[in-house]
Amino acid sequence: MWESENESSGGRDYGNGVLSSSKHGVKTEGFELRDQSWHVTTDIPSDLLVQVGDVSFHLHKYPLLSRSGKMNRIIYESRDPDLNKVVLDELPGGPEAFELATKFCYGIAVDLTAANISGLRCAAEYLEMTEDLEEGNLIFKTEAFLSYVVLSSWRDSILVLKSCEKLSPWAENLQIVRRCSESIAWKACANPKGIRWAYTGKPPKVSSPKWNDMKESSPGRNQQVPADWWFEDVSILRIDHFVRVVTAIKVKGMRFELIGAAIMQYAAKWLPGLIKEGTGMGDEGSNSSNSNSSGGSSWKGGLHMIVAGTKDDPPTVQAKDQRMIIESLISIIPPQKDSVSCSFLLRLLRMANMLKVAPALVTELEKRVGMQFEQATLADLLIPSYSKSETLYDVDLVQRLLEHFLVQEQMESSSPSRQSFPEKHMYEGSQRGNGATAKMRVARLVDSYLTEVSRDRNLSLTKFQVLAEALPESARTCDDGLYRAIDSYLKAHPTLSEHERKRLCRVMDCQKLSIDACLHAAQNERLPLRVVVQVLFSEQVKISNAIANSSLKEAGESHYQPVISNRKTLLEGTPQSFQEGWAAAKKDINTLKFELDNMKTKYLELQNDMDNLQRQFDKMSKQKQTSAWSSGWKKLSKLTKMTNLENQDIGPQMSTAAEQTRKTPRRWRNSIS
């Protein structure tokens, strides 16, 4: 049994935690336990049987009636002089507390410890052992021990608060929980210098911290105390008491990152699913959870801000406890951005969805994730879909997280700052840079997530497209990750129509693809032909722009550097690896262009052949058999038409010749007759 430290205050000496009554009416040497019954070792026979739970106490009326107002009322209000049995099933603290209270009534010395003081204080209140009946009654003495001994000790405050778990609502109504929580908060926020430290999470042989030991010669004065020294101690508390302690610590101005670290350590202890995948429980976590749900104590008091989530199936006791812990932790996470890690928030969100936590708290947690979404990892984002959705992963959840992130970025960029003019511009510039960097990180994360979830055959094209287009175009400087996701989606969905393939490829900007991605896309048979042509064209534009920019750069630097005389000197000044890569890229592009021209030529040839065959077919189908006479007339009419056309062409020529003949003198040829 652990003994409390010596403590004296206001002239009162509490005798090293030993409590005794100066007056008693029955001389006794103590109590004796026989089976499940306590008997007073005295010659006077017992005249009262008190039943507390499964334990019976054979006592005398006078010692109890002289100090307990409740026993007085029970005996005298019953108006039965022969009443010899009283049942006290609702006594807080149970048989252990009643045993100590009866020993006090008989004048037997009682050892007060941090383990039994809260139960004895509640039992004294239940039995109404006030100063009206006797000076120095049990309520006064237990209150003095709590105030002057327990609350001055760190470890005693922790142990008393832990023992209050079975005493609700008595411990709450008597302010034991509040006083212990504030004492713990004050000690956690106090300057640790000059205090000899020991923690309840350490081996029990280490003594408790002495808060009244402030001497310069203290052996622990020069020892450096870590900032998280109190984490292990407060993590043994039940969730409602932990929330009370953390709330009190917040009020006293503890740094938010330390509060967040304490919350993460508490979650790791009581929610093993945050660290280990699956429903298997670790040794420490299972012990903690079992101790939380067993021991005959039910949580009747505590938080009033908890809202129960809707549930379809009746959950187990362990699931209820974990849901309660998650809801409580969400409500006390500090509002600052980096108080807890994004990975912790996402793992907490995964368990919240699995255990069907209240929707309002889940929405609040999603907003917290959106505040620091750029810190997330792909493994944390792969949250299974616990609803009736057909997809393997919860894509809608990631879509909501991305929307919260964009809203937060918009609010930060539009919020006015109160700095002076130059500081304001410096702040806005750094803020824009940080915002752009965060969006680029999120874009890479979303592309990796799309690549992973695109293998799901149940993922619709609309969901893929909406998630891919959620970020602005400026967030992606390179679309290689998006192209990889599109290619993976096309592999997993080979039955897409040509229209759907074109619609899918619209989310990608071909001008933002690297050379390697362009080469892969040019040979990708799953892409539409139009996309392949766009890739080749954009790559040709890139090369032309690069050449033009290099020429302009050379022209601009000609004032400072000697002009390169010929192309050979230019190539000698270019790195060999760059020359080889550039030449290989140009060669591949020219080869692809040549193949494309050949395909166009073959296509035109096939089109001409098809037109000729069509004309021949039409001619053969319209041909009719006619008589020789009619065919002769047709030939004659055709010949007549041709003759008229020739005459029309020859007519002008003859008129011109006649005019020339008139102009020239007529020459007579001498004929030889």
Side-chain angles (χ1 to χ4, degrees), residues 228-244:
D228 59 349
W229 65 269
W230 53 276
F231 289 3
E232 184 65 27
D233 290 343
V234 298
S235 66
I236 69 173
L237 300 174
R238 199 174 63 181
I239 181 61
D240 55 332
H241 296 161
F242 176 77
V243 170
R244 295 288 293 269

Side-chain angles (χ1 to χ4, degrees), residues 3-9 11-20 109-113 141 144-145 148-149:
E3 294 182 355
S4 301
E5 296 128 15
N6 295 330
E7 195 77 34
S8 61
S9 177
R12 295 185 177 91
D13 187 5
Y14 295 97
N16 198 21
V18 178
L19 183 65
S20 63
V110 177
D111 291 334
L112 296 182
T113 66
K141 293 193 174 182
F145 187 82
Y148 297 109
V149 178

Side-chain angles (χ1 to χ4, degrees), residues 71-85:
M71 297 300 294
N72 260 298
R73 193 168 60 255
I74 292 175
I75 296 297
Y76 289 110
E77 289 181 358
S78 65
R79 298 180 180 179
D80 184 5
D82 297 330
L83 179 66
N84 57 4
K85 184 177 180 180

